Amino acid sequence: MKGNSTFMRDRVLPLFVWIFGLLAVWEAVSWWLLHVSKTPLAQSKLPYVHEVAATLWKYSSTLLKEGGATFGNAGVGFLIGAAAGVLLAVLMSLSKTVEQLAFPYAVASQMIPILGLAPIIYGIVRDEQVSRIIISGYITFFPVALNMLRGLRSVDLPAVELMHSLAAKPWAVYWKLRFPAALPGLFSGLKIAAPLAVTGAILVELMGAQHGIGVIMLRNLYYGPSHTYMFWSTVLVGALLGIASYWLMSLVERLAAPWQPEFRPKGGSR
């Protein structure tokens, strides 16, 4: 009971204070733009938050359906990209030659602006679903590989030498020593990549897809001020999808690596 009350006081209460504070400021600034400064197209620039909330509720079924399509495709691409990143990290940790061959090209691949790559991929593949998966996987691949490689190499050398002295096979060293040590780094990469994968999927949908939250976003942006509340609703749904993906990775991390300091109940002591 004491732990629950501490969690409520330290985590939940500040979160609610921040949320309600930001919403109050948002509503006040929107009112000021519309009635005091009389800014042209004030509601397009910052609409009333209660109107956006009403639109979210009114079109919740549509937004949920299209958001689900975006989240599903981003999730598939994220899983494929994460698997490829983990595999490459393991190969690079095993062989310096593989690292020298692959790492510079992996870095160079991230120099291509995703805003330019998305229409190229969509133009080649001509399939909105496959394009979203490819772009989401592409975004996921590099941060996962980089953080996983760093985690695999974070193991203390004496521990590795001890396992070798006990005649442990290479797969045993990885399974019992390197992989557990790499989990914090791996999840750091996954938490970075998950919201980016959602953003990548939405970006592909803006290129002319038929389904997804990005499609509704583009349509309502095209119709202008008359669809302001719906446009803002799609923006909020896109942000919520990114937040949900981050929280999902944080939950999986808590289950997979509960020994990390931030998950211990008393500030780092086991």
Side-chain angles (χ1 to χ4, degrees), residues 51-246:
E51 294 285 359
V52 176
T55 305
L56 274 170
W57 176 258
K58 183 178 181 180
Y59 296 99
S60 57
S61 60
T62 301
L63 292 170
L64 190 62
K65 177 183 175 184
E66 301 300 332
T70 300
F71 198 73
N73 286 293
V76 173
F78 172 78
L79 292 175
I80 294 174
V86 168
L87 178 62
L88 181 64
V90 172
L91 292 175
M92 288 192 295
S93 71
L94 285 169
S95 170
K96 275 287 183 186
T97 304
V98 174
E99 182 181 357
Q100 290 171 353
L101 287 173
F103 195 74
Y105 294 102
V107 174
S109 70
Q110 300 304 303
M111 304 301 173
I112 303 172
I114 195 67
L115 191 60
L117 184 63
I120 293 174
I121 295 295
Y122 186 74
I124 294 173
V125 177
R126 305 304 300 173
D127 185 302
E128 61 178 271
Q129 190 168 2
V130 176
S131 300
R132 281 180 287 193
I133 291 173
I134 291 175
I135 290 297
S136 297
Y138 170 82
I139 292 175
T140 303
F141 164 76
F142 186 71
V144 171
L146 184 63
N147 286 279
M148 181 73 181
L149 179 62
R150 184 178 299 171
L152 289 171
R153 289 182 172 166
S154 67
V155 179
D156 291 334
L157 190 58
V160 178
E161 291 174 346
L162 176 62
M163 292 203 71
H164 285 160
S165 69
L166 297 173
K169 295 187 180 301
W171 67 266
V173 175
Y174 268 82
W175 184 251
K176 295 183 178 180
L177 187 62
R178 291 193 185 275
F179 282 143
L183 283 179
L186 171 63
F187 280 104
S188 295
L190 292 175
K191 287 191 287 188
I192 293 171
L196 293 176
V198 174
T199 303
I202 292 175
L203 189 58
V204 172
E205 290 165 358
L206 295 177
M207 303 299 159
Q210 298 297 317
H211 299 286
I213 203 68
V215 177
I216 307 180
M217 188 184 297
L218 184 63
R219 287 174 183 169
N220 287 278
L221 182 64
Y222 175 78
Y223 288 124
S226 62
H227 288 67
T228 292
Y229 299 125
M230 190 62 179
F231 171 73
W232 276 77
S233 299
T234 60
V235 173
L236 286 181
V237 170
L240 290 174
L241 291 176
I243 293 171
S245 65
Y246 179 87

